[in-house]
Structures are given as C-alpha cells and as structure tokens.
Amino acid sequence: MRKSKWIVLLDSGDTIVDEATQVHDGEGIVLSASFIPGADAMLAGLKERGCTVSLVADGETKSFENIYHQHGMDDYFATRTISEEVGVQKPDGRMFQDAWDKLRLKDEDKKRCLMVGNNLRKDIKGANLFGITSVWLDWSPRYFHEPRTDEEKPAYTIHNPEELLQLLDSLNDTPEGLS
C-alpha cells in the first residue's frame, strides 16, 4: 500500500467514541468509554495508509487522556487540539489553527486535509470556514442532521467510520484528489 498524503483531523465524541457509553466522575471528566462500531478499524486503517492523524475535539484534556489510554492509544495522534487548552470550541477557527500550527502545515496543505466529525454546526462548519475538506460522520442520532447554512454542508458524508478509508482510497484514485 502506498504512503498516504492525507492529513486527517478527527473529532472524538460520536466520531471515535460512543458518547452514550461515557462514564463520568463527579467533576464531569470522562473516566472510560467505548468506541463506536468500526472506529478501531478506521484508526488502524489510517495508520496503515500512513495518514497524519490529529485529534481536534471539544472537551477536557483529562477525559481524552483517560479514553485513549483505556484503548492503548496514548500516542496514536500526531497532535491533539483540545478546546479546554485552546480556550474556545469548534467551529472557532482557533481550534483548527492550533492543529495547523502544531502539525507545522502551510496553506498549500489544506488541499490534502480532511476534518471528520459528527456535528454539522461545529465540525463541518469549522472545517469549511477554515478552508479544509469536511467529512460528516452521520452516525449519531444526538445531533442535527440538516445543515442550516451552506457553511454547515459537508463535502462528503459517511455513515460509519470505516467508510472514511473507502473515501480516502477513492480520492487517491482520482488524479486531482481534493483539488
């Protein structure tokens, strides 16, 4: 399998982690949670394809440390951008800029970057406003399923995490990729 050129920014809740399975402590920190079906295969497939993978998620740092340690993935992500540390939540562009800076990317890298998330109003809108390709994971019944504005319309829609791998493979087979 050839080395991937893709940079994949991933949300966490209901994109990797099933929010319905989260166990919280008295302070609201997530102590443990299960992955949604297919998320582990998606993560393994991204790694196999040589993708640069970064977490861009709203929540508390300790929650993400607990969840990803539970699954043996402490060092899986190249970088982590977490709203508690940045001081804002998606769709605020500072979340995406933080990930961009940590990954040391340039504007020309935007054509090979995808943001995958479950929330049209946060993940998809934020990605679109930042100028990267948005991929909506339409899996969870917990959030809105109809875009209110053009900014909330995803470039691509998938219905389970493993479909992301198929999407990347199809984009690799297209000479222009995302351009």
Side-chain angles (χ1 to χ4, degrees):
M1 186 173 291
R2 65 182 168 224
K3 186 88 168 157
S4 175
K5 61 182 178 180
W6 302 111
I7 302 157
V8 180
L9 308 181
L10 290 172
D11 179 44
S12 185
D14 284 346
T15 301
I16 300 171
V17 174
D18 183 346
E19 290 181 3
T21 67
Q22 292 176 340
V23 176
H24 296 85
D25 69 9
E27 304 291 314
I29 300 296
V30 179
L31 300 173
S32 65
S34 299
F35 281 178
I36 66 173
D40 53 349
M42 172 193 68
L43 292 169
L46 292 172
K47 188 170 192 149
E48 286 172 12
R49 284 163 175 78
C51 296
T52 300
V53 181
S54 181
L55 185 70
V56 179
D58 293 332
E60 294 80 18
T61 301
K62 186 63 179 162
S63 293
F64 297 113
E65 289 172 355
N66 291 341
I67 293 167
Y68 292 105
H69 178 74
Q70 168 195 353
H71 291 279
M73 302 185 81
D74 294 300
D75 298 321
Y76 179 82
F77 300 102
T79 64
R80 293 181 187 196
T81 292
I82 300 172
S83 63
E84 178 186 43
E85 297 171 13
V86 179
V88 295
Q89 293 189 355
K90 295 173 288 178
D92 192 300
R94 290 174 283 183
M95 288 289 288
F96 297 90
Q97 189 63 53
D98 183 78
W100 216 247
D101 294 344
K102 286 177 178 173
L103 291 167
R104 298 185 179 142
L105 299 172
K106 297 176 175 41
D107 279 344
E108 58 264 21
D109 294 316
K110 287 184 177 183
K111 65 183 177 222
R112 60 190 187 98
C113 183
L114 299 101
M115 171 67 200
V116 182
N118 69 308
N119 192 308
L120 295 170
R121 295 180 183 169
K122 290 179 163 244
D123 304 311
I124 302 311
K125 180 178 180 177
N128 289 339
L129 290 173
F130 194 69
I132 58 177
T133 300
S134 57
V135 180
W136 180 42
L137 176 56
D138 180 13
W139 177 82
S140 172
R142 284 181 266 283
Y143 296 101
F144 302 97
H145 288 256
E146 292 296 325
R148 296 176 304 173
T149 66
D150 285 345
E151 294 167 338
E152 294 178 359
K153 291 180 181 173
Y156 299 96
T157 299
I158 58 176
H159 300 284
N160 67 66
E162 291 173 284
E163 285 181 29
L164 177 62
L165 303 175
Q166 297 164 7
L167 174 61
L168 289 175
D169 290 344
S170 71
L171 293 172
N172 280 336
D173 292 338
T174 304
E176 66 277 359
L178 294 175
S179 54

